[in-house]
Structures are given as C-alpha cells and as structure tokens.
Amino acid sequence: MEVFVSGVQTLSETGVTHVPSQYIQPPQDRPHQPITTSSSDSLNIPIIDLFNFNPQHSNDVRAELGRACSDWGAFQITNHGISNSLIKDMIDVGLTFFSECSITEKSKYSCDPNSAASEGYGSRMLVKEDSVLDWRDYFDHHTFPLSRRNPNRWPDFPTNYRGVVEEYSNQIKELALKLMSMISENLGLQSSCIEHIIGEVYQNITISYYPPCPQPELTLGLQSHSDIGAITLLIQDDVGGLEVLKDEKWVTVQPVSDAIVVILADQTEIMTNGKYRSAVHRAVSNSHRARLSVGTFHDPGKIRRIAPAAQLVDKDTLARYKEVVYGEYVSNWYSKGPEGKRNIDFLLIDPLLLNQQ
Ligand SMILES: O=C(O)CCC(=O)C(=O)O
Ligand SMILES: [Fe+2]
C-alpha cells in the first residue's frame, strides 16, 4: 500500500497561515465571488418530508419530489426512515477517527493515490497531476456489492466504527433504492426501471473531513462537480459548507439536523433523458471549524451500459445522450476532472436540443 504523504489536516494543524499554491483556486472558481452571494442568501434547496413512506401521503410526496428533481436535482429529505441515532453515530465515528487518531494511525489505511476512488484514507481526488487540490481529507469505503466489502480495511477506532459503517451502508442503500423507484414512477416508468438499468448497485461511502483553512477565500473544500453515478445521499454536521449551483448562483445547503441531502448524479440525468438533471455542487472551507460530511454514492457497475430509458424516447422525444459504458465515464471523469458538467455534456447528442425542449 502507498504511503499517504500529507493531507490538509496535517497542514492545518501545523498552523500554516498561507495555503500552499497547489490549493489556490483560479479567481473565477473562488468562493464568495460577488455573483455567488447576494441574491442566493434567502434561497434554500427544497426540504421534503417523506412521512416515513406512509401511503396516505404518497401523492403529495411524489409531487414534491418530482418538482425538486426537475427544478433542483438536489434536496433534503426528513422522516426518511433512517434513525437519528444512526446518523449521529455515523458522523461521530468519522469525527473521532479524523480528530483523535494520529497521522501514523490514519496512514495505515492510505488509499492508492494513483488509482481513482480507491478505498481508504486520502486527500487527492483527481489522478491528474496539475489539478488544484481540494482542502479536504477523506476516507472512502467500498460497501456494495458485499463482495467488495471488507471491514478489516476500515478503521478499528473508535471500536464501533466498522459496525456503524456496515449498518449505515445497509440502511442507506435501501433508502436509495426506494428513491430510485419513486423517481422512476414519477416519470411514468416501471418502479424498477432505474434499478434495472443500473444493475447491481455499487455503493461507496466517503467521509469527507474539511479542516479549518487559513485562507478560505482562496480555496475550495471540494471543487465544483456533479456526481458521477446515479444518486448520492449525504449527511453533514452542523458546520455547513455544501453549496448547490442554481441558475448560476451558489446556494448554501443549510444543515438540518437528521435530514439527508439527496443529490442526483450524472447517470440519472442520462437515464431520465435529461428530464432530471444532475446537480452541480461544491464545498467551501472556513477558517474556524472543521467540517465533516458523509456522502454515500449509488452507482452502476463499471461494465453497465447507461442510456436514456427506452420508454422516454420516441419519435417526438429523441434521445439526448449517447449510450456510455459506465467504467469509461468514470475513467474520463477522474483523468480529465469534472469542470462543471463537461463529462456529461460530451455525451449530448445535439446540445441545441436542450434549448428546444
Ligand atoms: O462535503 C460535502 O458536502 C460534499 C461532498 C461531495 O460532494 C462529494 O463527496 O462528492
Ligand atoms: Fe459530490
């Protein structure tokens, strides 16, 4: 296993007052540009009460979900069936690992920095050498299919770490499947349609740790991107820092205790033939408090071919996206970088169609 050289937590803890140049974003990508703050302050992403999937509320919930998917691609859900204590435990084990384990202990789990999304502890997201670095350290867990899951590769401190991650992984996957089926039904598709295109769900859980940054105005905790797979479910502590791009303005996702943030990812945009778009988002850093989030990604297997659902394409509504082998999409994303949504734009059959529909 490669040795983890140094993440941003070490930098932050050594008390640097200026961030090293590799972390400085080009001016147009820095947070808090005038255009990104003013009018977006009062705007929030939708918060949808799922009423624990009680059928009595299903029509209203579906309607709200449909609106949130088409208007935003990102929203928060409450009463989703995952207990508050499990959410709290998941955040707590992550915080304990990052804040209480020594760098030597953490480095035992270092991921392979030359291979995209490899399991373990790391800091660099892209393989590309010249990319600006994020002010973030992370721990990535491979959790589904079960053949990829090996808790021995995860921290054993705190002692409940592995058990909590396993339980969280199982429950959040069930929730993701329910959301996928509701999304399918909302589009008039069979409830199993999206799950069917994806095939066996690949799930990764990434704990992101954003230490305080001495110059948050020059850096990003995580650069602007849309997620690669199908659907991401994210929990965060109360610090805040996640932002979603809406009508060219960055909107802060206010932390809501016990809520889960749902982020539609690129393969959902393809499968829904652009009816639901993936959300561009980023994380900003701050100078006073470390922040922790846990993103759970639900993706197709690498060999799956992803294309718009056949039922959404006919002579009047053409396919907007080319079919793609998911593994090729992933390699491009990691080698070229996200840069907004350029990877999915590359699959557009005719960008002009987007403006016509
Ligand atoms: O930390 C966050 O709020 C965002 C994380 C994220 O977008 C990701 O890991 O893809
Ligand atoms: Fe993301």
Side-chain angles (χ1 to χ4, degrees):
M1 203 173 259
E2 300 276 339
V3 176
F4 180 68
V5 184
S6 167
V8 284
Q9 187 179 5
T10 318
L11 268 178
S12 174
E13 285 170 4
T14 53
V16 284
T17 52
H18 290 83
V19 298
S21 58
Q22 313 91 284
Y23 295 93
I24 299 182
Q25 294 288 338
Q28 69 278 13
D29 293 340
R30 292 177 195 166
H32 313 306
Q33 298 292 311
I35 187 172
T36 66
T37 46
S38 54
S39 60
S40 58
D41 283 350
S42 53
L43 205 58
N44 281 315
I45 69 168
I47 301 182
I48 305 177
D49 186 339
L50 295 184
F51 293 99
N52 289 308
F53 299 93
N54 179 336
Q56 278 188 337
H57 293 274
S58 66
N59 286 345
D60 292 345
V61 169
R62 264 176 225 292
E64 272 192 71
L65 197 74
R67 270 196 302 276
C69 288
S70 50
D71 294 353
W72 286 84
F75 47 94
Q76 311 211 50
I77 51 175
T78 57
N79 294 315
H80 36 60
I82 310 272
S83 73
N84 302 348
S85 62
L86 184 56
I87 291 180
K88 183 176 176 306
D89 285 351
M90 186 63 229
I91 288 178
D92 284 351
V93 294
L95 270 177
T96 306
F97 171 73
F98 276 98
S99 53
E100 290 182 26
C101 287
S102 65
I103 182 74
T104 320
E105 181 63 22
K106 289 185 197 119
S107 302
K108 285 191 202 157
Y109 302 99
S110 292
C111 61
D112 174 358
N114 300 312
S115 134
S118 63
E119 185 163 28
Y121 175 57
S123 192
R124 171 184 274 275
M125 177 169 71
L126 300 174
V127 192
K128 206 163 105 200
E129 279 300 321
D130 59 349
S131 52
V132 180
L133 298 179
D134 300 310
W135 196 262
R136 173 185 83 140
D137 294 340
Y138 61 80
F139 200 110
D140 195 10
H141 313 72
H142 293 178
T143 41
F144 273 107
L146 287 177
S147 54
R148 296 169 76 231
R149 186 191 287 184
N150 180 357
N152 292 327
R153 293 198 285 249
W154 309 339
D156 57 5
F157 180 83
T159 47
N160 60 340
Y161 189 107
R162 293 174 180 174
V164 168
V165 174
E166 286 207 80
E167 185 58 26
Y168 184 77
S169 156
N170 295 342
Q171 291 200 23
I172 210 94
K173 179 186 168 201
E174 291 310 309
L175 176 60
L177 291 175
K178 283 186 194 159
L179 290 167
M180 283 181 203
S181 79
M182 285 170 86
I183 289 173
S184 301
E185 285 173 7
N186 263 350
L187 291 172
L189 305 168
Q190 287 209 325
S191 59
S192 58
C193 182
I194 290 184
E195 203 186 329
H196 190 75
I197 301 177
I198 291 177
E200 191 169 26
V201 171
Y202 278 64
Q203 185 198 60
N204 286 352
I205 298 183
T206 303
I207 302 182
S208 294
Y209 183 80
Y210 304 93
C213 173
Q215 293 177 296
E217 68 286 0
L218 300 182
T219 58
L220 283 173
L222 187 55
Q223 62 192 277
S224 161
H225 65 285
S226 53
D227 290 343
I228 319 177
I231 191 167
T232 304
L233 301 184
L234 182 131
I235 53 174
Q236 55 176 330
D237 62 16
D238 62 346
V239 176
L242 174 62
E243 297 182 340
V244 169
L245 192 64
K246 167 82 169 148
D247 302 331
E248 296 177 28
K249 294 192 176 66
W250 287 104
V251 176
T252 300
V253 177
Q254 302 295 345
V256 173
S257 99
D258 310 326
I260 296 178
V261 183
V262 180
I263 302 174
L264 301 187
D266 290 349
Q267 307 314 302
T268 294
E269 178 166 332
I270 299 173
M271 291 182 284
T272 65
N273 201 24
K275 288 197 181 316
Y276 295 161
R277 313 286 302 277
S278 57
V280 174
H281 56 284
R282 68 181 185 182
V284 296
S285 40
N286 74 72
S287 57
H288 51 283
R289 261 182 90 190
R291 168 173 181 257
L292 186 124
S293 75
V294 182
T296 307
F297 305 90
H298 299 88
D299 304 341
K302 297 271 173 71
I303 58 166
R304 299 297 293 190
R305 293 178 171 275
I306 307 298
Q311 300 86 327
L312 296 177
V313 177
D314 58 29
K315 63 177 182 5
D316 299 321
T317 317
L318 304 177
R320 291 169 160 189
Y321 303 87
K322 289 177 223 154
E323 180 180 270
V324 66
V325 175
Y326 182 63
E328 288 172 16
Y329 193 87
V330 175
S331 336
N332 274 328
W333 196 100
Y334 279 104
S335 59
K336 301 201 178 105
E339 270 175 43
K341 295 180 79 167
R342 71 128 133 222
N343 291 291
I344 195 162
D345 288 346
F346 185 71
L347 295 178
L348 279 172
I349 290 177
D350 178 2
L352 289 177
L353 284 174
L354 272 183
N355 302 327
Q356 285 167 10
Q357 288 184 8

